[in-house]
Amino acid sequence: MKSLRLRLVLGLSLTLCVLWGSVAAWQFTHLQRELRTMLDERLIASAKMVASIVHQFQPVHGAVPTPAEQEALQSVIARDGVACEVSLVRSEVEVLPAPRTIARTGNGPDFSALGGPGFGQITKGGKAWRTYVLEDNGLRVATADRLDVREHLVQTVVRTLVLPFALALAGVLLLTWWISTRSLRPLRHLREELAQRPPHDPTPVSAGRDTVELAPLVDSLNQLLARIQASIAHERRWTADAAHELRTPLTAIKTHVQVAQLVLQQAAPPARAQDALGQAQEGIAHMHATLEQLLQLARLETGDGDAARATQGEAIAEAFQRAVQQSLQRAGDEGRATAALDAQVLPGPWSGAALPLAPCLLTCATTNLLDNALRHCGAVPPSATLQLQRGSGGTDWVEICVRDQGPGLTAEECAQAPERFWRKAANGPGSGLGLTIVRRIAESVGGALELAPGHPGLVARLRLPVQLPNP
């Protein structure tokens, strides 16, 4: 399990280490260069200072200082802290064959190997020295200091800088951990509130709503909880309605079976037993149809249907014709007096049409509309048409229009009809799920079911989006 706080602290720590490390590396390089420059300038300044003092002891250029002057000069150059050697390289009268040393410190290297003026490097006793030679009016001043002493000085300065840097970095990490812990406290409060919440508590979550970053998450969570509560309430109503709808045919079946048993026990006329068994058979058929509708609706609402498959070309009209045949056959099997239907497929570019709905679902939706019309059509057979429509907003439609001449519905009843288990009469035919299934099939592909009073009868329009070839 990943820790958000640990990831935050590690990320900030890595960022600080990279940034501070880059700055420290740059400062270290810059400091080394500055220290070397400063020490080189110290050699130059020492050489110039010694040359200036020697010229004060030499009223005449090239004159050799007296022993007293050399002793005084020796004490001066020894106090400067660098190795130094003062030599005469020429005089006004003669050119010396070699530089004549007039003063030097005891800790310096052999300067005789040095060349002309400027910086150089020599080695004495395995130790490297940085040297500088200054020639001024017959005077040669050589200064030097050890490179290892220089490096030791640089390392000392670096250690002096690294220790505060390390302590500051450790303090920043601890402070970051503490701040992140306090900053993530609203998340902990949110977790605690959710952990202590009862399963059926519908109240919105309040923890974290006063935090800008958590407020959208809490709002989305509250919306999700509201949808879950609505879904639970919906399923409870669905369960209650389904139990009520199934209880009625089961009670009828039980009653008619008991009547048949009594008739057989009393040796009554067989017609009464046959009638009771027939009524029981009707109850079984009604319950079976209701269960089939419930299963179909459950598959649609859980996304287990075949909506992803498309119906293309002439298969759209074939699915419509198949639904007409199934509805007429069902009406004939149920013994309805009116088992006629005026069905038409209007001309259109069916060969190039593509409907984003499986043929079985298109047949199912059409069958439910036709079954509903055949049950309530009265003496006049209902009509059904299948046509293609060009939409004004760039969307084309397949429209199935079913019209009957029955008692019809009011506008208010048309709005209620697609609800689960809704029937105009409590003891009316059907299960009250047919129009619900039709609407759910339409919504699965972005379509719609429209019901309107037909004056007389009812007009049902099922509109499904379709892709048509370019005109």
Side-chain angles (χ1 to χ4, degrees):
M1 183 180 298
K2 297 181 180 179
S3 171
L4 184 60
R5 177 174 58 182
L6 181 59
R7 294 174 64 182
L8 177 62
V9 173
L10 290 179
L12 291 175
S13 303
L14 180 60
T15 303
L16 290 174
C17 289
V18 171
L19 292 178
W20 284 22
S22 302
V23 172
W26 176 81
Q27 287 184 341
F28 175 73
T29 304
H30 180 72
L31 179 61
Q32 281 184 319
R33 185 170 58 252
E34 291 295 325
L35 283 175
R36 292 191 178 99
T37 302
M38 182 187 68
L39 294 174
D40 287 344
E41 291 177 351
R42 178 179 175 228
L43 293 178
I44 296 174
S46 298
K48 290 181 177 180
M49 181 191 68
V50 171
S52 175
I53 295 174
V54 172
H55 285 315
Q56 292 178 6
F57 291 155
Q58 287 181 299
V60 179
H61 293 309
V64 178
T66 64
E69 291 175 342
Q70 292 184 11
E71 184 178 355
L73 180 60
Q74 185 76 24
S75 62
V76 170
I77 66 175
R79 292 198 304 265
D80 195 37
V82 298
C84 181
E85 182 182 86
V86 182
S87 305
L88 294 176
V89 293
R90 69 178 176 84
S91 66
E92 294 181 350
V93 179
E94 60 178 346
V95 177
L96 299 177
R100 179 185 297 173
T101 302
I102 59 176
R104 65 172 298 164
T105 59
N107 61 340
D110 182 9
F111 291 100
S112 61
L114 292 176
F119 288 100
Q121 182 173 330
I122 58 177
T123 303
K124 177 187 177 183
K127 302 293 184 181
W129 292 73
R130 174 75 165 172
T131 62
Y132 177 75
V133 176
L134 173 65
E135 293 185 359
D136 184 16
N137 295 326
L139 185 68
R140 183 174 184 268
V141 180
T143 57
D145 56 7
R146 286 169 48 180
L147 291 180
D148 59 341
V149 175
R150 286 190 173 200
E151 294 302 323
H152 178 72
L153 177 61
V154 172
Q155 293 176 4
T156 302
V157 174
V158 169
R159 284 196 298 269
T160 304
L161 295 177
V162 167
L163 181 59
F165 172 81
L167 294 177
L169 181 59
V172 167
L173 296 182
L174 293 176
L175 187 61
T176 302
W177 182 272
W178 179 73
I179 292 177
S180 63
T181 301
R182 291 186 59 87
S183 301
L184 295 176
R185 187 174 296 175
L187 277 177
R188 187 185 65 186
H189 293 166
L190 178 60
R191 176 184 60 81
E192 292 174 353
E193 181 177 349
L194 292 176
Q196 297 173 2
R197 176 181 292 266
H200 302 293
D201 187 0
T203 58
V205 177
S206 59
R209 302 190 68 175
D210 55 348
T211 304
V212 175
E213 291 78 10
L214 285 182
L217 173 62
V218 175
D219 291 340
S220 300
L221 182 60
N222 287 332
Q223 294 175 8
L224 176 61
L225 291 176
R227 291 195 298 269
I228 291 176
Q229 291 297 328
S231 177
I232 291 175
H234 184 71
E235 295 303 321
R236 286 175 178 172
R237 290 194 303 270
W238 183 87
T239 303
D241 293 340
H244 179 269
E245 291 296 324
L246 294 176
R247 186 184 299 113
T248 301
L250 285 175
T251 302
I253 292 172
K254 180 179 179 180
T255 301
H256 291 302
V257 170
Q258 289 175 349
V259 170
Q261 290 176 344
L262 290 174
V263 169
L264 293 175
Q265 290 175 0
Q266 296 173 1
R272 291 186 58 189
Q274 187 67 27
D275 181 66
L277 292 176
Q279 294 291 335
Q281 182 67 27
E282 290 182 4
I284 293 173
H286 177 71
M287 186 171 65
H288 180 268
T290 302
L291 289 175
E292 288 293 334
Q293 297 281 57
L294 287 174
L295 290 175
Q296 180 66 35
L297 184 61
R299 284 193 294 267
L300 289 172
E301 293 189 343
T302 56
D304 294 337
D306 296 328
R309 293 177 51 195
T311 305
Q312 298 181 352
E314 299 297 334
I316 300 176
E318 294 174 359
F320 176 77
Q321 297 291 355
R322 191 180 308 112
V324 172
Q325 296 174 3
Q326 291 178 1
S327 296
L328 290 176
Q329 182 178 358
R330 187 178 293 112
D333 294 341
E334 294 177 358
R336 299 178 198 161
T338 303
L341 182 62
D342 180 16
Q344 296 183 11
V345 178
L346 300 182
W350 295 106
S351 59
L355 180 66
L357 190 69
C360 61
L361 294 181
L362 177 60
T363 301
C364 176
T366 307
T367 301
N368 283 326
L369 290 178
L370 297 177
D371 288 347
N372 190 67
L374 288 171
R375 289 193 187 97
H376 306 93
C377 63
V380 180
S383 62
T385 57
L386 174 67
Q387 62 178 332
L388 293 174
Q389 291 185 341
R390 290 281 183 180
S392 58
T395 303
D396 301 321
W397 304 92
V398 165
E399 182 181 274
I400 299 174
C401 180
V402 179
R403 178 187 295 269
D404 63 66
Q405 305 270 332
L409 301 174
T410 64
E412 293 77 9
E413 291 172 340
C414 287
Q416 297 175 358
E419 299 296 329
R420 289 174 174 175
F421 303 110
W422 187 90
R423 285 180 294 183
K424 186 173 184 178
N427 57 351
S431 61
L433 294 173
L435 294 179
T436 304
I437 293 175
V438 175
R439 183 180 66 177
R440 186 65 188 88
I441 291 175
E443 292 175 348
S444 67
V445 293
L449 171 64
E450 299 176 359
L451 302 177
H455 306 295
L458 179 70
V459 178
R461 287 185 173 88
L462 175 62
R463 304 184 70 195
L464 304 172
V466 66
Q467 293 182 355
L468 296 178
N470 295 327

